[in-house]
Amino acid sequence: MNTEQVRQLGKKLIDSIGSVIMGKNDVVTLTVTAMLAGGHVLLEDVPGTGKTMLAKAIAKSVDADFSRVQFTPDLLPGDITGVSVYDRNTGSFSFHKGPLFTNILLADEINRATPRTQSALLEAMEEKQITADGETRKLDGFFFVIATQNPVETYGTFPLPEAQLDRFMMELTLGYPTAQETKRILSAHLASDRLDDVSPVCSISDIAEAQKVCRSVFVHDCILDYVRRILEATRESDGIALGASTRAGIVLLRAAQSKAALDGRNYVSPEDIKELAVPVLSHRIILRAGERREALSASAAIERITAGVPVPTEKWN
């Protein structure tokens, strides 16, 4: 597989998902970009904007195992990792796998669960393994988490800790559709459930091959320096209490490799970095209290930084 084949694969996925999630092609494209980069996605928005529908559309577009977990305050870590059950006939314990043992996991309303249960996802998302009853068990090679959450102001929610937020490659927001798009959605869903018409357009092996191609996309030294300067700018900004980490820079570069491959290119451009900086970095910084009072969002802070950091250009002799 080459970058042109990755572009064609991405188009099929985006078209398939877009048949259900109408008018949100940018969010769909970013979600596919994260998946091919080997990352995970956090969707934050108010209820009813299509977060769960987007996750289900992705799961149905890929011929892979799918699990859905509805996070609630009484959910325990063992409910998602699995538990050992005593068998009276054999006199021994046997491990019953939880919903984490899948390829695509929808963690619905993740911030309704307690931090203890939220943290059960950390090891699985970062290392593709879980540890239960003192034994470590590997997950399948392809493991993609799509988590949804309501705004923290919603009643009965627990804000995700910074350590878990850092495990998500991107934080995305669907937002409300336009008036014309709303009418299209209402009309389309009256006739039938759009998800029923979605069928797999690729397999796990196709995704694995595409991920290898994405990781081989060329990154010039000037791009590395560009990302370094963006990271340093987040740490030196007066309005940011905690800047982006080195891991954030690595994740940004991997996402840029994936975006370049989806565009059919075998190299990363500065525009890839600028376009992905907000969804990749905004949830990895913490604003100062004064900035929050002035309603400056993390996204606006990242946009201001990328606008101020000089873009690398080709030098002519």
Side-chain angles (χ1 to χ4, degrees):
M1 185 178 286
N2 53 37
T3 52
E4 176 57 28
Q5 291 171 313
V6 172
R7 187 190 67 79
Q8 294 173 4
L9 173 65
K11 186 178 186 305
K12 288 192 294 184
L13 279 169
I14 293 168
D15 290 344
S16 176
I17 301 165
S19 67
V20 179
I21 307 298
M22 302 178 183
K24 299 297 177 182
N25 189 67
D26 53 343
V27 177
V28 171
T29 301
L30 286 172
T31 305
V32 173
T33 299
M35 182 172 66
L36 294 186
H40 308 287
V41 170
L42 177 64
L43 299 172
E44 182 181 40
D45 219 323
V46 295
T49 52
K51 303 186 298 295
T52 302
M53 189 74 72
L54 172 59
K56 288 182 176 180
I58 293 173
K60 293 201 69 174
S61 299
V62 181
D63 188 11
D65 293 333
F66 171 69
S67 293
R68 177 182 182 273
V69 179
Q70 179 65 51
F71 280 66
T72 57
D74 60 348
L75 193 73
L76 298 175
D79 295 331
I80 60 175
T81 60
V83 294
S84 293
V85 178
Y86 181 73
D87 189 339
R88 296 179 60 183
N89 295 324
T90 62
S92 61
F93 287 89
S94 60
F95 184 74
H96 288 221
K97 293 181 178 180
L100 277 184
F101 289 87
T102 188
N103 299 124
I104 299 176
L105 174 70
L106 168 57
D108 214 357
E109 294 186 311
I110 187 174
N111 61 332
R112 289 199 180 277
T114 59
R116 179 186 177 192
T117 302
Q118 292 173 7
S119 64
L121 278 174
L122 288 178
E123 184 180 16
M125 293 172 65
E126 185 68 20
E127 302 175 36
K128 295 186 179 180
Q129 65 182 32
I130 65 132
T131 301
D133 299 329
E135 183 178 347
T136 299
R137 296 173 174 85
K138 292 288 185 181
L139 301 178
D140 287 337
F142 174 57
F143 181 62
F144 179 51
V145 176
I146 311 171
T148 71
Q149 72 169 2
N150 297 323
V152 293
E153 292 81 6
T154 306
Y155 179 75
T157 58
F158 300 84
L160 292 177
E162 286 76 11
Q164 184 160 336
L165 278 174
D166 197 50
R167 263 57 175 191
F168 289 99
M169 175 171 278
M170 297 184 192
E171 182 179 19
L172 306 174
T173 300
L174 282 165
Y176 289 118
T178 63
Q180 191 172 14
E181 289 166 352
T182 300
K183 187 176 180 180
R184 278 184 59 210
I185 294 170
L186 293 175
S187 176
H189 283 269
L190 275 179
S192 63
D193 188 344
R194 303 290 293 181
L195 277 172
D196 293 339
D197 300 328
V198 178
S199 57
V201 297
C202 66
S203 63
I204 295 177
S205 60
D206 294 328
I207 298 295
E209 284 296 316
Q211 288 178 337
K212 290 180 182 177
V213 174
C214 291
R215 292 295 292 272
S216 66
V217 170
F218 176 70
V219 180
H220 194 275
D221 186 67
C222 69
I223 299 295
L224 297 178
D225 191 59
Y226 182 45
V227 171
R228 175 190 62 79
R229 286 185 280 117
I230 290 176
L231 296 180
E232 290 177 350
T234 65
R235 301 164 191 167
E236 297 168 358
S237 174
D238 293 335
I240 299 177
L242 180 65
S245 66
T246 303
R247 177 162 58 183
I250 295 172
V251 172
L252 177 57
L253 286 168
R254 288 179 179 173
Q257 286 179 307
S258 178
K259 181 185 180 302
L262 283 172
D263 289 343
R265 288 181 282 108
N266 60 0
Y267 62 91
V268 172
S269 71
E271 287 71 25
D272 296 328
I273 302 298
K274 289 192 72 172
E275 290 181 27
L276 293 169
V278 170
V280 173
L281 299 181
S282 60
H283 62 290
R284 290 182 161 89
I285 64 172
I286 298 178
L287 301 179
R288 295 192 187 279
E291 297 291 337
R292 289 197 295 270
R293 283 196 298 269
E294 294 170 9
L296 173 64
S297 68
S299 298
I302 295 298
E303 288 177 351
R304 184 177 62 187
I305 286 172
T306 54
V309 175
V311 176
T313 55
E314 188 173 3
K315 295 180 180 179
W316 295 86
N317 293 326

